[in-house]
Amino acid sequence: MYTGIADKSADSSVCIWLPNTDKEYWKKYKEDIEMLGPNVEGTPLGLVVPKYMEDVNSIKDLANNTNSVGDKTEWTITGIEPGSGQMEVTKEQVMKEYGLDDWTLQASSSAAMATQLGEAIKNEEPIVVTLWSPHWSFSKWDLKYLDDPKNAYGDSDDINTVVRQGLKEDAPRAYEILDQFGLTKDQLASVMVKINNGMDPAKAAQEWVDNNEDIVNEWFKNVK
């Protein structure tokens, strides 16, 4: 994604998580990409467990093996795609900051992580996963973020829009629309839930657009 926008083989992205999750990628490519700013504000990420794990409420509880959480989960944090921003932050900052030396961060995929989470919840088994908001899983299951008293994950990210250099001159209307594009977390989550429930992504997006013309019109305001 970053490479494509930097080398101008792609025009834009609306899913750049900063200042924390994608910070290493941003450091590498920021000189070759134009930042337009947030399109969704206040999007946290962290380690998440089902609410029925009542005695595990902080990342410190993982380090302390509270209620034998390490033994019960085989000392495994179920993660997502290797190399993703959240996986890098979890491995290089969070696990080191809290001394989770006995724990393994298991790389998989976002879909595989959600499947494992669902299976654990079905059997009311303990599980620790990497997650973020907005995400459809919070609408489907009762989940909670583990407290991060050392703020190892940093403050909440914003999801940002970036474009390739020269897009403003080459496609000024598209540039203006992207610059004005924005959603709330709840608005984005409502579409994600429908997609997860089986609706075609394009149909889910079109349905939301049809039902929210006032918001969509703001994206096109003063676009000529």
Side-chain angles (χ1 to χ4, degrees):
M1 177 175 62
Y2 281 89
T3 302
I5 299 170
D7 68 16
K8 300 184 180 181
S9 61
D11 289 324
S12 68
S13 173
V14 294
C15 55
I16 305 299
W17 290 61
L18 292 171
N20 301 306
T21 308
D22 288 348
K23 67 179 181 180
E24 294 303 321
Y25 295 105
W26 184 244
K27 285 180 184 178
K28 182 176 180 179
Y29 291 104
K30 65 180 181 179
E31 299 301 324
D32 301 314
I33 294 174
E34 182 178 350
M35 168 64 71
L36 297 186
N39 59 66
V40 181
E41 296 183 329
T43 52
L45 70 159
L47 298 181
V48 169
V49 301
K51 285 186 178 179
Y52 56 71
M53 293 175 63
E54 296 178 356
D55 295 329
V56 180
N57 296 295
S58 169
I59 301 175
K60 283 185 175 181
D61 290 327
L62 303 185
N64 295 334
N65 196 25
T66 299
N67 199 24
S68 301
V69 62
D71 302 296
K72 293 176 180 177
T73 59
E74 297 183 351
W75 301 92
T76 298
I77 298 169
T78 303
I80 54 173
E81 289 78 4
S84 65
Q86 185 171 16
M87 290 290 281
E88 292 300 309
V89 171
T90 301
K91 179 181 178 181
E92 298 300 328
Q93 294 177 204
V94 177
M95 296 182 74
K96 290 181 179 180
E97 184 68 28
Y98 285 93
L100 302 183
D101 301 331
D102 294 327
W103 288 79
T104 297
L105 179 60
Q106 181 184 65
S108 57
S109 68
S110 299
M113 175 276 295
T115 297
Q116 291 184 54
L117 177 60
E119 287 296 317
I121 291 173
K122 180 180 178 181
N123 298 310
E124 205 163 313
E125 296 171 346
I127 187 170
V128 183
V129 301
T130 58
L131 251 180
W132 59 93
S133 298
H135 192 278
W136 57 263
S137 60
F138 287 95
S139 297
K140 186 170 184 177
W141 300 304
D142 289 329
L143 305 172
K144 62 183 179 182
Y145 281 100
L146 295 183
D147 291 339
D148 178 12
K150 296 185 178 183
N151 201 31
Y153 274 111
D155 296 331
S156 292
D157 278 333
D158 294 328
I159 305 177
N160 295 272
T161 301
V162 299
V163 299
R164 65 169 173 82
Q165 292 183 353
L167 183 69
K168 186 174 183 178
E169 293 73 28
D170 297 340
R173 294 185 76 252
Y175 180 95
E176 289 299 323
I177 294 166
L178 286 165
D179 194 28
Q180 297 181 139
F181 169 72
L183 297 166
T184 67
K185 287 185 292 184
D186 289 342
Q187 290 164 352
L188 179 56
S190 69
V191 179
M192 296 170 71
V193 168
K194 290 183 178 181
I195 294 171
N196 181 67
N197 289 339
M199 184 178 287
D200 176 74
K203 184 176 180 180
Q206 186 62 58
E207 180 181 273
W208 189 91
V209 167
D210 292 342
N211 293 331
N212 294 275
E213 289 187 5
D214 55 333
I215 297 171
V216 175
N217 287 339
E218 288 296 312
W219 305 343
F220 288 83
K221 189 174 182 179
N222 298 322
V223 175
K224 299 178 180 179

